[in-house]
Structures are given as structure tokens and as C-alpha cells.
Amino acid sequence: MGAHYVYVKPWCNGLFLTLLVAFALLTSVTNAETHYHEFVVQATPVKRLCRIHNRITVNGQYPGPTLEVRDGDTLAIKVMNSARYNVTIHWHGIRQIGTPWADGPEYVTQCPIQPGATYTYKFTIENQDGTLWWHAHSRWLRATVFGALIIYPKLGTSYPFAQPQLDIPILLGEWWNRDPIDVVRQATFTGAAPNISDAYTINGQPGDLYRCSSKDTVNFFVNSGDTVLLRIINAALNQQLFFTVANHRLTVVGADAAYTKPFSTRTLMLGPGQTTDVLFTADQTPGRYYVAARAYASAPNAPFDNTTATAVLEYKSAPCISNKGFLSKPTLPRLPAYNDSATATAFTTHFRSPSNVKVPTQIDENLFFTVGFGFFNCNPGPQCQGPNNTRFAASMNNVSFVLPRTTSLLQAYYQGIPSVFTTDFPAVPPIKFDYTGNVSRTLWQPNSGTKLYKMKFGSKVQIVLQDTAIFSVEDHPMHLHGYSFYVVGQGFGNFNPKRDSAKFNLVDPPKRNTIDVPVGGWAVIRFVADNPGVWLMHCHIDAHLTWGLAMAFAVENGAGELQSIDPPPEDLPPC
């Protein structure tokens, strides 16, 4: 599981314990580990699509290092910024209970690590196992700064399925020939949508279907009869992706570090930020089979990268040479059409928790958030490249989120620093309208601001996330920092509380940290606000986050303070 040092947690004195309990505690103590890592963020020459490019990486690797831990372990990662850009690292899906300063989004829980500076993230995994990941949470550095975070069950426990022979992380990504920072800078300057990517990648490589790429295509080797666990992570910056393995049925067993009721499928759909664990058996004729990913493009008429990334699944017993004297060509899979929302919906609605769960039923905070696009008038002018001389924007409840620049939200809230944010984020849309119908152009321009929504510690929360047809409907992968939540319902059109609430799954809904709000539809999530701090909720399509599709929660006690929060670390980066 990589380099680490063992430590022993102190246990308090108490009454006499039985030998059995003492042995159990001792075993638990000695199995808890602290894993020390160093991440050097640096520019590295990377050759893709026929050319060498300087890209920001971690430790010279693209994708970055895979972190392997067990539930209950602690991670201490020293990040040294040797790049020319500010950077932060987010540990996507880690709840950060009691450690909100380690969450990572820039200007939300910390100021960024400046070039030449160092910051150590330290946090403990608590009651989570499965597949998560880490990534930069500063501008568009996430395009190349990301890696897998695998959490194995505690020693003495096991998966709720047979132990696989192979365990393979698969990271899906996007590649730009231009520096991604230049891409987002140009879009910000012109107000236009950013340029689409030039390729998709599987574990950093585009695969056989791209120029100058076939010799570096990723290969996975299996024996006939092997049971294989694939840990699939959509690390793409801006694109939902379909995923499949030619001729093999996949059994979904987990998502976002939570187990699911197993179900069988040929095709997966993952939004940016989501992870899915699948099992398959190498039961086909020994040969070579493509593993493939390509876009699920839900926004009508919006440009997207229509290429396909591939890797190769190869049986070790497959003949090396075909009867024509060449390496046998892999079998191509059948992938859905780019706009196949029916397949995407059929896949996502299969998810269930493996057993009955305790879903909040008496709701304290009943919130309704619209999500979608908007436009700002061109300022400065005279010409902007959005529709009708405007600048693209995005918003939640008509508020386009603006990050502070002088301190982080968490530090400002904790220390009572004035004029950094307001606490008037609306609980419902300021104006009700036909959200997925013909929206009046008078509603197309949002307000901008740094607004938080306050809720009391322990509140039982329901949030309706409603897509809107301002400019265009689109599937939005919404991620909530600091929490996992239950997805109790999803549907198309406008959410109708009388009709749709009656169909909620309050028995075994899936547990997620990132949920795709269906194109032209809605999703409803529930959770208990039991993790104090300031937490970001945002669309995990980075172009949409750049335009302001985000908001923040402050979870506080009755006195209006952040409950049980330790002071900021002494080495917290300054602004």
C-alpha cells in the first residue's frame, strides 16, 4: 500500500475490560497507520498527440500518484509548490470531519499555496472505503493534477463481494494541446465558452484512435477466469463520459466510496467527479478488447470533443500474432450515441444502497436551488464573444458565485473578518418561473456575489437541485464538499413537490458525494448537517464553476459560531 509509518493511538484509562475487548482494541490500534507523502507540484515535459508540452504535474507523473490507505488511517501530505501558478489540493469525497482546513478549495477553506511555498494536509479517513480521488482545486490545474485515492476496508473486514484477482484504477481525463490555464484565461477575457479538449485519456493516454498515440496505449493484462475490480474515476475537466469494456458485462458494486446493491450493465456514465467500482469476469475468448470512453453530451447544440479514448484489455493466453502476421486488432465496443440521455438515465436510476438506510425524514432545512447558465452584459466592452455580445455566466438561485481574494471563507467566518461574504444566499429562487420551459430573457442575467447559507449543526437538510433552460438545459454534476448525501429522487421537467415527493426512495437510496442533475430535470438529496465548517457546493464541470455555478454552506452552532472547529494550522497559506 505504499510507504508509511505505523503509529499507535492513545487509549484512555477505564474500567476493567474483558480480554476479548482488549484484544479487539489492541488490534484496531496497531492497525491504524499514518501515511506520509510528499507532493511536488512542478512543470514536466509531457508528450501527447505528437508534441511535447510543459504541463503541471505532481512528482512528474500524469496522472499523479495513487494513494492507498485503509479506513481509519491518517494521511499527511506535504505539498511543495515548485510551479509558477498558485495551487491547492482537494481530497474529493473525504468528509474531513474535524479537519475542514484540509479540504482544499482555494479561497474557500484556504488561500492557495503560492509558488515556492509548502503546506501539509493532514486528515483521517473515518468510516469510508472504496474509490475516491484527489485533484487541484485552483483554476484549471485539475486538468493534469489529479490521482486516485483508494481506501481499503479495515484489517479484519472485507469487501461485500468475493476478493478480485486484479484491482485496477482507471482515471478518465481530458487533454488540451494548449496550456489549460491559457484556455481558461482566454475564455475569461473574451466571455466566450472555453475551447473544447483535443482528446480524452485513460490513465493519461489517449489510445489507439489518436495521432502518435498507439505505442503508448495503456494495456491491462488478465488471465482467463480472473475476477477484475475496476475503480473508474471521471477526472475530466468538463465532460460527462460513457465507459465500457468490449464484450464484457460489468457489475456495479460501489460509487463515491459507498457500496451499492450490485447490478449488471454494459455501459457506465460518470459525471466529472464521480467514481464507480465495477467487477467483471475475464470469460471471453482469449484476445484483445478495447476499454473505451467518450462523451455524453447533454446540452443541445453545444460544441464538445467527439473523440474516443481507448485502452486495451488483453488476455495473457491470447495469440500474439494474427493469421496475417500482425498483432491482432482489439475488438471495438459499442458505445451509446453522444446525446443518449435514455441510457444515462437508465444507468443512474439503478443505484441503490446495499441495505435499508436511515434517511432524514423530519426536514429542518427545505431548500430549492436552481442551477444553470446566464449572461452578463459585456463590460468592459466593446465586444464580448458570448451570445449577442455578452459574457457567459452560471448561477444557483440567480447568484453567480464570486470567490474572495483577500482571505478564505472559512478563515473569515472563523475569525469574524468583515466584508468578505454575506449570509443571504436565498433558500429558494427569488423568482419562480417555468424552469425548464421558455425562460424570459429578463431572467437571463444573474446577480454576482459571495453569499453563504447558514444552517444549524445537526439540521436535517433536503435540497432540490433544479436544472434550468436559461440558454440551454444540461446535465450538471453537483458536488458537495464535506458530506455524502442520499439521492432520494430524480426526474425530468420541473420538480413538483406534491407529485414527485410521493415517489421518493426513503428506504435504500444511493449514497453519493457528486450527483448528476438530469438534463432538463431535477435531483433531490438529503443529509444531516453534522460536519461543522464552511463547505462548497458546486458544479464539477470546471467551465461552469469558473462562471459562478457554486454556493457555500456555513454549519454553525446556536450561538452563530462554527461548532467544534480547531484554529487554523500555523502553516496555513497566507493570501
Side-chain angles (χ1 to χ4, degrees), residues 249-254 260-265 267-268 276 278-279 346-352:
R249 288 202 71 84
L250 308 173
T251 299
V252 177
V253 294
T260 66
K261 277 190 173 76
F263 67 91
S264 179
T265 184
T267 304
L268 282 62
T276 305
V278 301
L279 294 171
F347 173 70
T348 56
T349 54
H350 270 97
F351 283 87
R352 296 284 187 276

Side-chain angles (χ1 to χ4, degrees), residues 95-102 122-124 126 530-533 535 563-567:
R95 290 205 58 199
Q96 301 291 359
I97 298 172
T99 52
W101 304 102
K122 189 172 183 179
F123 53 89
T124 299
E126 296 190 37
D530 58 359
N531 192 12
W535 305 106
Q563 182 168 329
S564 306
I565 295 293
D566 290 334

Side-chain angles (χ1 to χ4, degrees), residues 174-349:
E174 281 181 281
W175 174 265
W176 278 262
N177 284 328
R178 289 187 64 195
D179 186 333
I181 298 297
D182 292 338
V183 172
V184 69
R185 279 176 174 167
Q186 179 182 9
T188 302
F189 176 75
T190 64
N195 292 343
I196 61 173
S197 57
D198 296 290
Y200 300 114
T201 59
I202 296 177
N203 289 359
Q205 294 293 342
D208 290 355
L209 306 184
Y210 297 87
R211 297 178 301 116
C212 310
S213 300
S214 58
K215 71 175 184 178
D216 295 312
T217 297
V218 175
N219 287 269
F220 306 115
F221 295 95
V222 298
N223 290 308
S224 290
D226 278 349
T227 298
V228 183
L229 174 61
L230 299 181
R231 301 175 180 272
I232 305 151
I233 300 164
N234 186 352
L237 208 66
N238 292 323
Q239 190 62 60
Q240 294 88 342
L241 294 168
F242 288 120
F243 174 90
T244 193
V245 180
N247 288 23
H248 291 73
R249 288 202 71 84
L250 308 173
T251 299
V252 177
V253 294
D256 293 358
Y259 295 117
T260 66
K261 277 190 173 76
F263 67 91
S264 179
T265 184
R266 291 283 186 187
T267 304
L268 282 62
M269 194 286 288
L270 294 88
Q274 292 185 320
T275 74
T276 305
D277 294 346
V278 301
L279 294 171
F280 74 87
T281 302
D283 56 3
Q284 297 300 298
T285 302
R288 306 175 74 232
Y289 299 87
Y290 274 128
V291 177
R294 77 175 186 188
Y296 166 47
S298 62
N301 303 316
F304 66 95
D305 180 351
N306 64 0
T307 60
T308 302
T310 58
V312 175
L313 176 74
E314 182 170 339
Y315 285 65
K316 294 178 183 177
S317 57
C320 294
I321 304 297
S322 70
N323 56 13
K324 295 183 179 180
F326 298 99
L327 187 67
S328 58
K329 189 173 182 180
T331 301
L332 276 167
R334 180 177 298 176
L335 281 160
Y338 299 111
N339 63 348
D340 190 346
S341 292
T343 293
T345 301
F347 173 70
T348 56
T349 54

Side-chain angles (χ1 to χ4, degrees), residues 102 104 108 147 172 234 238 271-272 281 317 328 369 405 426 460 541 554 558 562:
V108 177
L172 310 178
N234 186 352
N238 292 323
T281 302
S317 57
S328 58
F369 293 167
R405 284 291 183 266
K460 298 174 179 64
I541 294 175
L562 296 182

Side-chain angles (χ1 to χ4, degrees), residues 106-125:
E106 68 173 351
Y107 297 111
V108 177
T109 59
Q110 67 170 99
C111 292
I113 308 167
Q114 298 175 10
T118 298
Y119 178 57
T120 298
Y121 295 89
K122 189 172 183 179
F123 53 89
T124 299
I125 313 296

